[in-house]
Amino acid sequence: VQLQASGGGLVQAGGSLRLSCTPSERTFNYYYMGWFRQAPGKEREFVAAINWGGRNRYHGDSAKGRFTISKDSAKNTVSLQMNSLKPEDTAVYFCAASTHNTMVRYDYWGQGTQVTVSS
């Protein structure tokens, strides 16, 4: 199974982007789908996660109040709506899936999509 992330790009500060992550197999099941990001020279950072049913959502400190994770169960797609973007949000964003009943261990990773926020 491959996770296909899309939606990255270049946006001005204050703008919005919507990232999407879709498994290559629509029947792929997981416990959690998460978004992470990694900026140059920095460690990978947790952004948000959502459970299979879509009811339980978790947002990291950097995402709270600005980013929202959601799931379209019909398409088995998880999206990350990012509003009020800041230059410090610039990073490669990865989606990941956990087939374990935990948010801290992910065993499938997407290829990453670049988000660049200009000041």
Side-chain angles (χ1 to χ4, degrees):
V1 175
Q2 294 182 337
L3 301 181
Q4 298 163 336
S6 61
L10 173 64
V11 64
Q12 288 187 334
S16 299
L17 282 174
R18 186 176 181 87
L19 307 182
S20 294
C21 182
T22 303
S24 57
E25 297 177 12
R26 288 192 64 176
T27 57
F28 175 60
N29 291 345
Y30 51 84
Y31 280 98
Y32 293 94
M33 184 78 78
W35 284 98
F36 296 80
R37 69 185 186 184
Q38 188 165 20
K42 294 188 176 181
E43 293 186 354
R44 186 171 60 199
E45 175 187 12
F46 170 77
V47 178
I50 192 167
N51 73 330
W52 169 257
R55 289 192 174 188
N56 297 330
R57 311 179 188 192
Y58 308 88
H59 296 84
D61 289 341
S62 62
K64 288 178 181 176
R66 299 187 299 127
F67 297 178
T68 302
I69 192 169
S70 62
K71 180 178 180 180
D72 183 335
S73 294
K75 298 179 180 179
N76 202 11
T77 294
V78 171
S79 296
L80 183 69
Q81 178 67 41
M82 305 187 296
N83 298 328
S84 301
L85 284 162
K86 304 174 182 179
E88 50 264 43
D89 294 318
T90 295
V92 178
Y93 284 69
F94 300 89
C95 61
S98 171
T99 58
H100 313 277
N101 194 10
T102 175
M103 281 201 314
V104 300
R105 179 182 172 189
Y106 290 83
D107 39 7
Y108 292 88
W109 290 83
Q111 81 283 9
T113 184
Q114 176 71 46
V115 171
T116 303
V117 184
S118 63
S119 57

